[in-house]
Amino acid sequence: MYEAGFDASWEIDLFGGKRRAVQAARAELAAVEYGRCDVLVTLLSEVARNYVQTRGAQRLLAILQNQIRAQEETVTITRSRVEHGRREGVGLATRPRAAGDHSVASADN
């Protein structure tokens, strides 16, 4: 014995209520999709902004590290010159003086 059953029900949509419900569901789905795309664009723009800021900070750090190295080399060279008695570029005029201390200035000239 073989029985095949087919049960279908349908309802007449005289005033278009079902069709409007389907259209509303599709519109809601599209709105959710646009919202998701909006969030994605916002996220990607924040990531890009943070990346650019990070790279800028890294570049500034490299510049400052180079300046520190250059200043350390200058200090090393200056100390070496002072230790070896070469003081051409390091005169007493560059040392800080107290107000009214003119005795050293007149001795230099």
Side-chain angles (χ1 to χ4, degrees):
M1 286 198 241
Y2 182 80
E3 287 185 34
F6 181 74
D7 191 15
S9 66
W10 55 278
E11 162 181 334
I12 298 176
D13 191 12
L14 291 177
F15 298 106
K18 300 282 184 194
R19 186 176 55 215
R20 299 284 184 248
V22 170
Q23 287 176 344
R26 286 184 179 151
E28 186 176 340
L29 178 63
V32 168
E33 180 63 23
Y34 285 124
R36 186 188 71 80
C37 289
D38 186 43
V39 168
L40 185 60
V41 167
T42 302
L43 174 67
L44 292 176
S45 67
E46 286 293 316
V47 168
R49 185 179 63 82
N50 289 334
Y51 176 77
V52 169
Q53 283 181 336
T54 300
R55 295 299 292 169
Q58 288 172 336
R59 182 67 185 134
L60 180 61
L61 178 62
I63 289 169
L64 294 174
Q65 287 172 335
N66 286 336
Q67 286 180 344
I68 289 170
R69 275 193 294 278
Q71 290 177 0
E72 288 172 345
E73 288 176 21
T74 301
V75 168
T76 301
I77 291 169
T78 303
R79 282 187 180 149
S80 175
R81 291 180 73 180
V82 169
E83 288 173 3
H84 292 95
R86 291 187 232 154
R87 306 180 79 181
E88 295 93 30
V90 187
L92 292 176
T94 59
R95 74 171 176 86
R97 294 188 183 138
D101 182 11
H102 298 291
S103 59
V104 175
S106 61
D108 283 347
N109 296 329

